[in-house]
Amino acid sequence: MSNFLHVSVSCIESIIDAPATLSKPNRRWHLAFATIYYSRAFHSLLNKKNKKTSKLPLSTPSFVVLNVEPHLAFSYIDHKSLTEVVKKKNLDQLREFGGVAGVADALKTDAKNGIHGDIEDIARRQKAFGSNTYPRPPAKRFFYFVLEAFKDLTILILLACATLSLGFGIKEHGLKEGWYDGGSIYVAVFLVISVSAVSNFRQNRQFEKLSKVSNNIKVEVVRDGHRQQISIFEIVVGDVVCLKIGDQVAADGLFLHGHSLQVDESSMTGESDHVEVNSHHNPFLFSGTKVADGYGQMLVTSVGMDTTWGEMMSTISRDLNEQTPLQARLNKLTSSIGKVGLAVAFLVLVVLVVRYFTGNTEDENGNQEFNGGKTKANDIVNAMVRIIAAAVTIVVVAIPEGLPLAVTLTLAYSMKRMMADQAMVRKLSACETMGSATTICTDKTAASGSEIEISGSPTEKAILSWAVLELDMDMEVIKQYYAILHVEAFNSEKKRSGVLMRKKADNTIHVHWKGAAEMILAMCSSYYDASGSIKNLDDGERMTFEHIIQGMAASSLRCIAFAHIQIPEEEQEISEGMQKLKEDSLTLIGLVGIKDPCRQGVRKAVEDCQYAGVNVKMITGDNVFTARAIATECGILRPDQDMNGEAVVEGEVFRNYTPEERMEKVGKIRVMARSSPFDKLLMVQCLKQKGHVVAVTGDGTNDAPALKEADIGLSMGIQGTEVAKESSDIIILDDNFASVATVLKWGRCVYNNIQKFIQFQLTVNVAALVINFVAAVSAGEVPLTAVQLLWVNLIMDTLGALALATEQPTKELMEKPPVGRTEPLISNIMWRNLLAQALYQIAILLTLQFKGESLFGVSEKVNDTLIFNTFVLCQVFNEFNARKLEKKNVFKGLHKNKLFLGIIGITIILQVVMVEFLKKFANTERLNWGQWGACIGIAAASWPIGWVVKCIPVSEKPFLSYLKW
């Protein structure tokens, strides 16, 4: 027993493997753990002795097994308290933890090299502190979209019609045959709701997937001494995360080291002022905030649901059912057409009632139906039921159920295809708005590119790779010679960055600057000559350097200057305490020209946009000469274009114009050099005021205001900061301007496809409405039953929407000017096409209605079937006409759209089934080969009619300029 209890402190330490390198608090924790463990072991043995009355063993094993849970490795730090310390910014309590260094030690993190980062280490940390994810609100189920579809006014009107039709049908024909009309409307409603709900459900799922992709931000961390990119979801407590301008802070944490770090906490606090983060006064960083300036490294203390951002985001459900402007316009159009239908139906109802009660209608035997007091009440009720049914049929045919569906299908299809073409749509309305774009304001990033493996900004990558690969500079060795005291990070306002550092060898302090050449040159009073001697920078030498800078810029080189000054001993203490670096009397070290090569395909893409009537403007921070050279190389500026000096301006000049001058000159500007973020925003606002639909590309944090202000914000997926991506509508995944031109083409395709479908749909509606109205008023009955009309209006429209919505972009789309913001949805060309086809169909079908029986020598039932069959086949042939609104050759590219051909085939098969096999349900009679041939021949005439009609010119003024859809 005495052997068991005699445990030395050194033995305890060896058992639990407490390294001597641990800090005093951690060594004390290890000893405390051992003491508690052995107390429990001793207590357990005493209990066993009392129970079994057996003697304690005289000898004990030479080792003790400790079953320590993985998370117990971090038990000596109260994570809940640490989380609260960071959330409440409690500096006093942080000091009790031993400061940032004490927290890092407790989390087993090396402040310089990070965590080990092996699989076991990550798993241990995730088990102890959780993962950097948060539960999202459950996705909307299919039933939700079914209920949403039921709320549509069109559906509610159809349901009311179905109920009336079902009741009247059963009243007149009995249950066995009376349910056909009403039942078919119910089936139609079911199909509309099903297709709409499935489409919206799939679109919602697609958005959920895109949301996961866009939320999966790449973050730079230090693990095992190496910098590496990982997913934001893989960050664990204890990670050292690198932060730079534009980054989103990935978790809650503490500032380790860095310079001039300022954070935008507006997403958390609503305060727009940037908060400075440093070691002394405010080392706290919060998930979801954005880095506004400077750079640094942070120690992660809380992840996922332990962060304020995680708690907030888990309760927010993004509304994926946004209604795009085009959908809103189409809903208005559908509503207007529905109102016209209701008015016509009411008119028919009044006319038929008047005809009946004035004795102008006859029954099947040729007798007058209404004969004053002699007519039975039951006969009057049946007649009224028939009349109301005819009016209901007209309402059914007037409502274009397929229109909203066509938009949904088109947008969903184009969004999927745009993803394959390197464009990720964040906002659905951007798909269609891009088709109306009249101006694209791009920065240089989308037009040029460089590929270097050294980390840093693109400029730093280029300079460092040149120094390492060409000048054999050893960066690691040089870094050992100096201690960095303060850094002024680069931003687009200053266009320069500086560093204050101490040379370790002689303890001297130096300031180094790099940045835009003309700005650095203005800060210099001397320069190093080729031999390394310092020479005075007089006016003559300054002029020489300015010519060199301009020469480089004219060769489309971005000119960077380096300058330096050693701080005198008497000023050293002041400089070390100052936050502002010395900016005058510098010595110019040298000039470097960086080539931003024009990406392959950019010039062609710019030409395509210009050919399509879209102005491309370049807004850059480079000087005038570089900007002009790059713009000329990319085709944005023609060599002879800037003769009068209005095509290229500097940001400051543009800023200082009066509002009237800006509005006058903004249209002529092609390049804006030396621009600030405010200048870019100002240009976008001016263009919008002039009625332009503006698309803006950007990659930096400074681009966010312009991206938000623009009609379509396009951010860069590779070089773009998280702030820029958050502010944009579409992310260009490959950072290439050629993809911007592709997005423009897809935008026009969406708009064009919807116009094609509107033309096709309205031809059906106009023809059916007029035929039924004329027939009802003149003959007292409608030739097309509710079942037949719903087949035409629903199945044809649903399939037609699918066929026309999946047409791919063509070269012709880029040959027309943009449609602009105020263009009517139904253009004069569409009115010309649809009225010609509708008039032809009305003429043919009314001829068949009044003369068909005598012309074909058939019964009334067969004649009604001929009318129905001809009407449907007219729509099949007209679907081909709808493929091209202006071009005469409607078959061009048909072989590429297999879906279109498949849908035409399915439609014809279903029509054959309706006519030949669903005799009772569809109220049809079988047709012979001759009759089928006649129907096909009449319908096929719509092709030559379409060709001839497209030769007729139309005026520019909108046909219905007084109506605003």
Side-chain angles (χ1 to χ4, degrees), residues 729-742:
D729 305 309
I730 297 172
I731 299 174
I732 305 297
L733 299 174
D734 61 355
D735 285 19
N736 198 336
F737 187 84
S739 298
V740 176
T742 306

Side-chain angles (χ1 to χ4, degrees), residues 205-250:
R205 283 284 178 271
Q206 198 173 350
F207 258 124
E208 290 282 356
K209 284 179 188 173
L210 286 177
S211 183
K212 283 177 185 172
V213 171
S214 61
N215 288 338
N216 189 13
I217 300 163
K218 291 295 175 189
V219 180
E220 195 174 73
V221 297
V222 179
R223 286 183 179 176
D224 207 18
H226 301 289
R227 285 193 175 207
Q228 53 186 274
Q229 293 247 328
I230 62 167
S231 164
I232 191 171
F233 304 125
E234 293 170 9
I235 285 177
V236 292
V237 169
D239 255 325
V240 173
V241 177
C242 305
L243 300 172
K244 61 183 184 300
I245 293 178
D247 283 354
Q248 179 176 312
V249 179

